Amino acid sequence: MIVDGSDSVFSGVGYPTSKFAVNGMTKSLARELGRSGIRVNAVAPGVTRTDMVAALPSEIVERISAPNHWGVSEPEEVANVFLFLASDLSSYVTGTVISVDGAAQTDDQSLRLNQRIDRQAQSLAVLHIEPG
């Protein structure tokens, strides 16, 4: 979960960095495994009613779900995307990350924050540390 405010990330750098890693891995594996007829996709849920979200203070949940104007999603809404991906209806869908976030990524502030985090993640990816 990402919170826009003084350029901070609510859960630290590890959580969003792992999400960017999943996105890259999804695209890479789709290219590699596509030759064998294997499709690889990822689902990126927004704020969803889970135990993790239930443990957050209500003001934080309101703040992180505000960009989508739909509030908090239900687990079934995210599960429906997995059902689609597991069905024959998605036979030509591969190498994509499907956002299930009530259009939160279309919010200007969210886009700017995600672009900042993307640049930070890219700069982390090019760090080179010489052995001891």
Side-chain angles (χ1 to χ4, degrees):
M1 277 167 250
I2 301 168
V3 177
D4 193 3
S6 69
D7 295 335
S8 65
V9 178
F10 176 70
S11 58
V13 71
Y15 189 85
T17 301
S18 69
K19 299 307 173 191
F20 282 105
V22 168
N23 295 353
M25 184 177 69
T26 299
K27 293 178 186 310
S28 294
L29 286 174
R31 280 190 297 269
E32 289 180 33
L33 301 175
R35 293 177 219 123
S36 301
I38 298 171
R39 295 180 293 120
V40 180
N41 296 291
V43 176
V47 183
T48 306
R49 197 172 316 282
T50 63
D51 292 342
M52 182 177 82
V53 171
L56 295 172
S58 61
E59 60 274 3
I60 296 293
V61 174
E62 288 173 23
R63 188 169 173 195
I64 62 178
S65 64
N68 69 20
H69 307 292
W70 293 74
V72 177
S73 72
E74 296 299 325
E76 294 81 7
E77 294 170 307
V78 177
N80 287 335
V81 176
F82 285 98
L83 289 173
F84 164 72
L85 289 171
S87 76
D88 290 337
L89 295 172
S90 68
S91 63
Y92 201 68
V93 179
T94 191
T96 192
V97 178
I98 301 175
S99 293
V100 186
D101 64 3
Q105 297 297 317
T106 62
D107 176 84
D108 286 342
Q109 287 183 331
S110 293
L111 285 174
R112 283 193 302 274
L113 178 62
N114 286 333
Q115 288 168 350
R116 270 195 314 273
I117 291 171
D118 192 25
R119 284 192 303 274
Q120 290 170 354
Q122 288 173 358
S123 68
L124 287 173
V126 298
L127 285 178
H128 178 73
I129 301 172
E130 292 294 325

